[in-house]
Amino acid sequence: MKEKTKRSGGRMDMTEGSPLRLIVTFSWPLILGNLLQQVYNMVDSVVVGNYVGKNALAAVGSGSPVIFMLASLFMGLGTGSTVMISQYFGAGDEERMKKTVDTVYTSMMVGAVPLSLIGIFCSRPLLHLLNVPEEIFFDSWLYMVIIFAGMIGTIGYNINAGILQGLGDSRTPLIFLAVACGLNIVLDLLFVAVFHWGVAGVAVATIIAQAFSWLFGVYYINAKHPTLHISPFCLRFDKELFRQNMRLGVPIGLQQALFSVGSMVQQSLVNSYGSDFIAGFNVANKVDMISFMPIQSFATAATTYVGQNIGAGKMDRVRRGTRATIWLSVAVSILMAAVVLPTGPAMIRAFGADDSVVQAGMAYLNRVMPAYAVFAVMFVLNGVMRGAGEMAIPMVSSLVSLWLARVPLSYLFADLFGRDEMFYSYLVGWILGLAISGVYYFTGRWKQKALT
């Protein structure tokens, strides 16, 4: 008899059934969501580039890294919510699930205003620090100020998604994202092409779409999961649960912020080799990002799977699920390399690239994609440990991989062996990160971080 996945009101019980089937079932909406997120991110650039001009396009791009860096802390709280909800769900503790939702929402409502103000007041000095050219400075500043003013929508969406993923529901956040993407496209065209608001129109469209997606999520959770009823303005707070959420969320928030800074440092090295190399690297990065989406989604699925099964005390299923996710991720990483490497030049040319840009892009893909299997194992092990509540080691693994290996070695390899060889620094960094994650995983100490 065919095995079925247990679902109820959008929830998926991952404590029973085939681990591989559960991971795949949970992952495919995440993969679609990641693809949709790329479309969402590209819409602003496409509209402003076509209807306003290249300076406005550069202004939107200049502000985005700073916005992501400052918003990372609250995005980390969404991941912390996933871990807490999944473990309490696995343990069948509805009371703690409800208190977790109340506490996280109270933290968001209290913290969103200070975060927005910090972002608004720090925008100008941060843009100066990034040496943003004078001709796009005002538009970059205006875009950032508007986005930070409406940051609560982005934070709210991420927390809603974290709550639902903890319940085993990866499909509904995809719907929220699709609604936001569709609304953003319509409003971008209205505000920019019809009202001629320029960069401000793109920013206003973004915060309206995100706010609508957040509020739609609140309505959905209240309708489908009444025991978790969200009351954003009825502040309820549990100090112990808040400490747990901070312990879980702050490390991943810091990791994302510092990773963003590290990527900007490496980008500066790439920028020193001219426009063709920059274009090739940036286009290849888009191909690379899409190729890695399945593995990223498998690791996210493993976080929820492990959280639920640790909450239920089923450690044998945790081990089986970890093995299944690693084998799945390694197989997919090999498959993606086998597909992308021979077709890479055609993919890069699809962006309008000439031969020199294709050569630069393939220099990246040829050195990075064959090493994906190493990165996949590290990524999955970090996702597994996060599901158990161990956040420090995955953060250390990722940051050591980036800051002690990839960034400095990219400069060293480029200086000693030439610009194309800088990309071997990725493999060295991933090996170092895997060594940290792998050794700690086999000690078993991460199991002691369970909340239940």
Side-chain angles (χ1 to χ4, degrees), residues 243-265:
R243 283 195 291 268
Q244 291 282 15
N245 190 253
M246 293 297 289
R247 180 180 71 81
L248 297 171
V250 169
I252 195 167
L254 288 175
Q255 175 188 325
Q256 290 174 340
L258 292 173
F259 198 89
S260 178
V261 174
S263 297
M264 286 189 280
V265 172

Side-chain angles (χ1 to χ4, degrees), residues 67-81:
I67 293 167
F68 177 81
M69 182 177 65
L70 292 181
S72 292
L73 175 60
F74 276 95
M75 293 180 183
L77 296 183
T79 303
S81 302

Side-chain angles (χ1 to χ4, degrees), residues 5-7 11-27 86 89-90 165-170 298 300-310 312 314 317-318 321 325:
T5 302
K6 290 178 63 177
R7 288 185 178 273
R11 305 183 184 192
M12 184 166 69
D13 185 354
M14 304 179 82
T15 62
E16 297 179 13
S18 164
L20 180 61
R21 182 188 298 276
L22 291 165
I23 293 295
V24 172
T25 301
F26 189 90
S27 295
S86 65
F89 177 78
Q165 288 175 10
L167 297 173
D169 184 356
S170 58
F298 298 151
T300 301
T303 297
T304 298
Y305 173 89
V306 169
Q308 287 195 12
N309 282 281
I310 278 191
K314 298 184 177 182
R317 285 184 57 80
V318 171
T325 308

Side-chain angles (χ1 to χ4, degrees), residues 7-314:
R7 288 185 178 273
S8 176
R11 305 183 184 192
M12 184 166 69
D13 185 354
M14 304 179 82
T15 62
E16 297 179 13
S18 164
L20 180 61
R21 182 188 298 276
L22 291 165
I23 293 295
V24 172
T25 301
F26 189 90
S27 295
W28 73 259
L30 297 178
I31 296 171
L32 292 178
N34 285 330
L35 286 170
L36 194 57
Q37 186 69 57
Q38 294 307 308
V39 173
Y40 189 99
N41 292 337
M42 290 172 61
V43 166
D44 289 353
S45 297
V46 170
V47 171
V48 81
N50 280 280
Y51 290 98
V52 185
K54 63 180 182 181
N55 282 351
L57 177 62
V60 171
S62 297
S64 297
V66 179
I67 293 167
F68 177 81
M69 182 177 65
L70 292 181
S72 292
L73 175 60
F74 276 95
M75 293 180 183
L77 296 183
T79 303
S81 302
T82 298
V83 175
M84 295 175 72
I85 295 291
S86 65
Q87 291 199 23
Y88 295 139
F89 177 78
D93 193 339
E94 293 277 352
E95 181 181 358
R96 277 202 172 283
M97 289 166 58
K98 168 60 176 168
K99 287 184 178 180
T100 297
V101 171
D102 289 342
T103 300
V104 171
Y105 253 88
T106 298
S107 304
M108 182 190 82
M109 299 305 294
V110 172
V113 172
L115 175 67
S116 294
L117 292 175
I118 290 170
I120 290 170
F121 289 116
C122 291
S123 295
R124 192 175 293 274
L126 285 172
L127 289 173
H128 280 301
L129 189 64
L130 292 173
N131 295 317
V132 173
E134 188 64 33
E135 62 269 20
I136 66 170
F137 190 94
F138 177 78
D139 278 346
S140 297
W141 172 80
L142 180 62
Y143 179 79
M144 289 176 61
V145 165
I146 295 173
I147 292 295
F148 277 122
M151 183 59 68
I152 191 169
T154 302
I155 298 170
Y157 165 79
N158 278 280
I159 288 178
N160 286 346
I163 292 169
L164 290 168
Q165 288 175 10
L167 297 173
D169 184 356
S170 58
R171 295 182 181 181
T172 305
L174 175 61
I175 297 174
F176 300 162
L177 190 58
V179 169
C181 186
L183 183 60
N184 189 47
I185 293 172
V186 172
L187 293 178
D188 268 349
L189 293 172
L190 177 65
F191 294 158
V192 178
V194 179
F195 294 168
H196 305 292
W197 289 358
V199 168
V202 169
V204 171
T206 297
I207 65 172
I208 290 175
Q210 290 173 341
F212 185 84
S213 177
W214 164 48
L215 296 174
F216 177 45
V218 172
Y219 170 80
Y220 177 90
I221 291 173
N222 288 346
K224 296 294 184 180
H225 307 287
T227 58
L228 302 180
H229 188 86
I230 296 172
S231 302
F233 300 104
C234 296
L235 305 181
R236 301 185 184 94
F237 189 78
D238 184 298
K239 291 182 180 179
E240 179 59 31
L241 292 176
F242 175 73
R243 283 195 291 268
Q244 291 282 15
N245 190 253
M246 293 297 289
R247 180 180 71 81
L248 297 171
V250 169
I252 195 167
L254 288 175
Q255 175 188 325
Q256 290 174 340
L258 292 173
F259 198 89
S260 178
V261 174
S263 297
M264 286 189 280
V265 172
Q266 187 167 28
Q267 181 71 48
S268 68
L269 173 61
V270 172
N271 292 349
S272 69
Y273 289 103
S275 59
D276 286 347
F277 196 71
I278 295 170
F281 175 76
N282 289 338
V283 172
N285 251 288
K286 295 182 187 300
V287 176
D288 169 45
M289 192 177 300
I290 293 172
S291 301
F292 192 69
M293 282 179 185
I295 299 166
Q296 182 182 14
S297 300
F298 298 151
T300 301
T303 297
T304 298
Y305 173 89
V306 169
Q308 287 195 12
N309 282 281
I310 278 191
K314 298 184 177 182

